[in-house]
Amino acid sequence: MNFKRVIVLCSLIVLVGSFFACTKRVQEPSGMKKLKVITTLFPIYDMAKKIGEDKADVSLLLPPGVEAHSFEPKPSDIVKINEADVFVYTGKFMEPWAEDVIKGAGNKNLIVVDASRGTTMIPGVFHDADEPAGSLDPHIWLDFDNARIMVKNIVQAFQLKDAANRDFYEQKANDYSTKLTELDDLYKKTLATCREKKIVYGGHYAFGYLAKRYGLKYLAAQGVSPDAEPTANDLIKLVEQIKKDKIKYVYYEELTSPKIAETIAGETQTKMLLLNAAHNLSRDQIDQGISFFDILHRDLDNLRVGLECK
Ligand SMILES: [Zn+2]
């Protein structure tokens, strides 16, 4: 074999080699393509992430620490939704903007999941005259029967979009639902033993579902959205109620200034405890990998203290 032929042969090997290398590189990402999922709120983000695990690329539209009720998507968020395989939102009472975004979406392959489909909703409590009449309480994830239905709605979309991993998603969704049932049992068992049956909340009306489910009374300073300031009259009524019932703790909400709870606590010499409705996480909590279950377990710890349960 002369020198020239060796060169030609070697070049050919290199060429063929790079052809296969290229083909392989092209094939690999498509073979391992993850389901692209956009979610609007932390509870559905947590559900979708645990169901999809390494087979889905799940992102949360809400930036860290942002108040969920006043959130509206930016044009870049709408682009993200358009490029996704699955878009999951809580429901029209939590994200009133979602229906318009879906109507305007150019991506006809996008599967849209209204997580509230099939859930049992309760009327909202509104302190603000601007709230649309007939609106329902959007905090459906704080009733664990509803949370299980939300998991089912999400897994069905995953299975439709990625049938090859159908069984995998089914298993993960079942695991999540089992954990919800265990949490529900723990809430039932614990909250049945409380001396105090009233939750006083220096925030918006987020725990109506939870209170109803476990036979508690829920008194909140604001309506279902934290946008409106409580009226002086609302605060006076709450303070009177606390004094009359000799309530010892007032709860404050996550990610906003606890000034309403501080005012009530100052007027009534009560102590303050956090009750986190899990709308969103702070940057620190995201870095720590806090889960929906972590938040709900801590809430139960604080309810146990504040309501004097066993
Ligand atoms: Zn809320």
Side-chain angles (χ1 to χ4, degrees):
M1 198 180 284
N2 67 30
F3 181 68
K4 206 173 165 189
R5 281 185 66 186
V6 170
I7 295 285
V8 170
L9 198 63
C10 283
S11 311
L12 200 64
I13 290 167
V14 169
L15 269 175
V16 171
S18 35
F19 172 76
F20 279 114
C22 283
T23 323
K24 207 175 163 202
R25 267 202 298 277
V26 170
Q27 272 176 351
E28 252 173 16
S30 64
M32 294 164 57
K33 195 176 164 288
K34 290 186 179 188
L35 210 55
K36 206 168 169 217
V37 183
I38 308 282
T39 61
T40 53
L41 210 75
F42 178 66
I44 49 182
Y45 168 78
D46 193 69
M47 291 168 186
K49 215 165 159 59
K50 303 286 160 49
I51 295 168
E53 229 173 61
D54 61 336
K55 307 204 183 314
D57 177 9
V58 181
S59 54
L60 176 59
L61 219 51
L62 271 178
V66 162
E67 196 288 298
H69 291 269
S70 51
F71 173 79
E72 291 220 347
K74 299 189 295 290
S76 60
D77 294 325
I78 294 167
V79 171
K80 266 196 245 168
I81 294 170
N82 248 307
E83 289 170 348
D85 296 307
V86 179
F87 169 56
V88 191
Y89 68 110
T90 322
K92 67 176 177 182
F93 298 107
M94 187 65 222
E95 295 99 358
W97 49 265
E99 284 178 349
D100 283 342
V101 170
I102 299 157
K103 267 186 224 146
N107 174 5
K108 296 300 163 216
N109 295 318
L110 177 70
I111 294 192
V112 176
V113 181
D114 171 355
S116 73
R117 198 187 65 227
T119 59
T120 305
M121 298 188 74
I122 58 176
V125 166
F126 300 98
H127 292 200
D128 185 353
D130 294 339
E131 299 272 9
S135 291
L136 298 174
D137 186 339
H139 304 92
I140 48 172
W141 60 94
L142 292 173
D143 176 305
F144 300 136
D145 274 343
N146 280 343
R148 273 188 290 266
I149 293 169
M150 295 165 81
V151 167
K152 208 168 265 177
N153 288 335
I154 296 170
V155 72
Q156 280 170 357
F158 280 29
Q159 290 173 322
L160 207 60
K161 203 72 192 176
D162 180 17
N165 289 311
R166 197 184 163 79
D167 293 345
F168 176 88
Y169 297 134
E170 189 76 35
Q171 184 58 50
K172 296 293 162 190
N174 286 344
D175 293 348
Y176 202 97
S177 290
T178 303
K179 283 179 79 177
L180 283 169
T181 305
E182 287 166 0
L183 185 67
D184 188 27
D185 289 344
L186 192 61
Y187 263 74
K188 263 185 213 143
K189 219 174 103 200
T190 308
L191 297 177
T193 65
C194 310
R195 197 196 60 81
E196 179 55 62
K197 297 281 181 194
K198 283 195 189 86
I199 302 174
V200 178
Y201 202 52
H204 72 288
Y205 198 90
F207 288 89
Y209 285 94
L210 193 138
K212 182 172 183 283
R213 187 166 184 83
Y214 304 110
L216 300 170
K217 275 227 161 70
Y218 180 57
L219 308 167
Q222 292 165 290
V224 288
S225 172
D227 298 344
E229 289 286 317
T231 63
N233 206 21
D234 287 338
L235 288 183
I236 290 166
K237 271 200 270 178
L238 267 183
V239 165
E240 280 171 359
Q241 184 90 50
I242 291 169
K243 286 180 178 167
K244 185 172 148 270
D245 295 339
K246 299 187 173 56
I247 287 167
K248 294 176 189 153
Y249 289 87
V250 53
Y251 290 93
Y252 65 95
E253 67 179 50
E254 78 279 10
L255 301 178
T256 52
S257 157
K259 63 177 194 301
I260 302 169
E262 278 169 2
T263 307
I264 299 169
E267 285 291 320
T268 54
Q269 281 83 51
T270 44
K271 290 182 198 146
M272 285 172 55
L273 284 167
L274 173 68
L275 202 55
N276 185 341
H279 301 77
N280 193 9
L281 296 186
S282 66
R283 166 57 65 198
D284 274 0
Q285 288 173 318
I286 292 170
D287 293 344
Q288 290 162 29
I290 299 286
S291 73
F292 181 63
F293 292 101
D294 292 333
I295 293 175
L296 270 296
H297 276 288
R298 282 173 206 178
D299 282 346
L300 186 58
D301 289 342
N302 282 352
L303 286 170
R304 190 183 281 124
V305 173
L307 304 183
E308 300 173 64
C309 324
K310 281 181 195 152

